[in-house]
Amino acid sequence: MTDSRPDPSPLARALGRIPCGLFLATVETPDGPVGFVASFVQQVGFEPPTVALAVGKARGPLEALRSSGRFALSVLDKPSSGIMGGFFKPLPEGQTPFDGHELHRTGSGSTVFASALAWLDCTVSGEHETGDHVVVFGVVTEGVLQREGDPSVHLRSNGLGY
Ligand SMILES: Cc1cc2nc3c(=O)[nH]c(=O)nc-3n(C[C@H](O)[C@H](O)[C@H](O)COP(=O)(O)O)c2cc1C
């Protein structure tokens, strides 16, 4: 079958050359953890260690993130990429995408995945709204490399989508 989508513009193709990683962003709510697959994540400071996470304005967990003031990032690699599956498909009533995964609680109580390559626990230090995303800055308060390995690198042919 041929791809009927129009060719991405030069701008979109150029944007797609910005490499991203793959992460599972998690946020605690009174009803348990929520999360989403995130690729717009970047380290933006050393002292204190700081990361930025761009959250789509329509993304469900955004309000929970704002009210909890914390988020965690599970850094994915090839062996842990299966974690993403449950976050994309509709699940039967009562099931969550966290079911069936070994979870770990950080010192602050954030939920991270035991099978992820690494994780980072963050306290929100600010945010900046820009277009369709809110860039949330997080000071990394705890982090663990759980095993040796290479993080996933997410490359896109069209930078105007994830
Ligand atoms: C590879 C990939 C990377 C993504 N990165 C982000 C991101 O950095 N920020 C964000 O808010 N959403 C991101 N998303 C979208 C969320 O994961 C989204 O919740 C998920 O695609 C489900 O879509 P829905 O919320 O429309 O049901 C990404 C999606 C994919 C497939």
Side-chain angles (χ1 to χ4, degrees), residues 76-144:
L76 302 182
D77 63 350
K78 213 167 178 190
S80 59
S81 60
I83 294 172
M84 292 188 289
F87 287 84
F88 291 135
K89 59 179 183 219
L91 295 172
E93 181 80 26
Q95 276 188 27
T96 86
F98 295 89
D99 296 345
H101 294 287
E102 193 185 334
L103 303 173
H104 174 77
R105 285 269 180 175
T106 69
S108 79
S110 298
T111 303
V112 292
F113 289 85
S115 63
L117 177 62
W119 56 261
L120 301 164
D121 197 18
C122 306
T123 301
V124 173
S125 58
E127 69 164 58
H128 178 79
E129 285 195 35
T130 173
D132 51 7
H133 282 69
V134 179
V135 181
V136 179
F137 297 94
V139 170
V140 182
T141 53
E142 194 185 356
V144 172

Side-chain angles (χ1 to χ4, degrees), residues 63-80:
E63 283 318 311
L65 197 162
R66 281 172 159 157
S67 45
S68 77
R70 302 199 61 82
F71 65 93
L73 296 168
S74 292
V75 183
L76 302 182
D77 63 350
K78 213 167 178 190
S80 59

Side-chain angles (χ1 to χ4, degrees), residues 30-55:
D31 301 325
V34 293
F36 60 96
V37 172
S39 56
F40 286 2
V41 171
Q42 187 55 264
Q43 181 174 353
V44 293
F46 295 130
E47 189 49 54
T50 306
V51 294
L53 162 66
V55 187

